[in-house]
Structure formats: structure tokens, C-alpha cells
Amino acid sequence: MSEGEFDPSGDQAVSSELAGVLPVDFTAFHSQQHRAYLRYAHLQLGNPKDAEEVVDDVFTFLLKVWRQALKEASLHGFAWAVLREHVERRLAALCRQVAMVETAWFAALRRSSRERLELLESKLGLYAAIAGLSERQYDVVLLAFLLGNDSDTVARMMGITPATVRSHIRGARRTLSRKLGVDWIPGEEKDQ
């Protein structure tokens, strides 16, 4: 598992009873995105229960507007925007900031030994710097590095091109290098 990863105990597939009455393409979309959406929401909210409720709300909303969603220029981009909006609403309702810094740090701490605690403390600064990135760079960094998705998967999830993902990664690296006071070496990006 990647740092901060939420491993949903009941990675919900659409039940067989519902699968027969729901649109086939919605069922397929749900199966492809549910787990990734849960992991992202958990990183943002810091609580598995809140993450599950938000993602359930997202898919309920998407089902209600499914025919219109299919007409969007990018179904994945539309759904990603819906997920972000629902997460932001939940954070506002809870009067909380994004929990990514703490969620990712504590997940890393659970997996580490005492010898690595010093290294983890430096990661806390990195996570705080990531939280200060622009919205798109932040999402790309979370999906690619904290949740371990490759560029193609991140692009598909967000409804953007792999080249745009790589561009956001380059921009995020420059910004993080500046914020953390480390040298950024152009060209060191690997294709996530």
C-alpha cells in the first residue's frame, strides 16, 4: 500500500440485484472508480466513515445525472469535479481543513520502525508543502505519488491527458523544491 492509502474493507461493487437495473456503463464506471475515489476521499477527510459517505453520495448523484454526465466532454473529468466538490462540502460542514498531511503522515508512521522516525518527520514538511500546491497539482501529486497511480490512470481519473499530468508533476516539483529549499533537477521526472 502507498502512504496514506485507505484500504476499504468492503470495496463495494454494485450488488448483483442492483446491477441488473442500473445502466451497464454506470455499473462499469462505479467498479472502475469506487476504490480510487474512496482512497482519495480518505486522504482528504482523514476518516474512513466520512470517506465512504462522501463517495456513496458522489455515486448517488452521478446515477441521478448519468445521462447528462455521459454527454459531458469528459465523463471522468466531470465525475472528478463532483468528487472534489463533495469532499470540499464535507470539509466545510465539519469545519475542518484537508486532512491529507496528518492522514499520510500517520499512515507512514504505522508502517515505519523507530529508526525511520526522523525521516518521517521530514516527510511531514513535505506533506504540508503538498497541501499548499494549486488544486490540479495537488490532485496529481496525491493520485500519482501518495496513492501510487501511473500517469495514464491519473489522467483518466481526472479527465485530462497524460501530458497534462506530467506537466502538473513538473510544476509541482518546482514549487515543492522552492518551498522545501532543495534543488530541483529538470528532467528527473519519471513517467509515473
Side-chain angles (χ1 to χ4, degrees), residues 37 54 57-62 65 69 75-89:
Y37 282 18
V54 164
D57 290 347
V58 166
F59 281 105
T60 299
F61 174 82
L62 288 173
V65 300
L75 171 62
H76 289 277
F78 175 76
W80 186 257
V82 170
L83 173 63
R84 280 197 59 86
E85 182 180 324
H86 277 75
V87 166
E88 288 169 10
R89 276 196 216 147

Side-chain angles (χ1 to χ4, degrees), residues 109-175:
L109 181 61
R110 282 192 303 270
R111 290 188 305 277
S112 73
S113 62
R114 288 179 190 236
E115 300 87 50
R116 295 177 46 199
L117 189 56
E118 188 173 303
L119 175 62
L120 287 175
E121 287 174 1
S122 70
K123 285 185 176 184
L124 184 57
L126 172 62
Y127 297 147
I130 290 170
L133 292 171
S134 70
E135 181 180 297
R136 286 293 183 136
Q137 288 178 352
Y138 175 83
D139 284 349
V140 167
V141 167
L142 256 64
L143 291 170
F145 296 104
L146 293 178
L147 297 177
N149 296 297
D150 61 37
S151 292
D152 290 338
T153 301
V154 173
R156 184 178 34 76
M157 285 179 66
M158 293 180 65
I160 58 179
T161 67
T164 302
V165 169
R166 290 187 295 276
S167 175
H168 286 311
I169 288 172
R170 281 190 301 276
R173 284 185 185 222
R174 282 190 294 268
T175 300

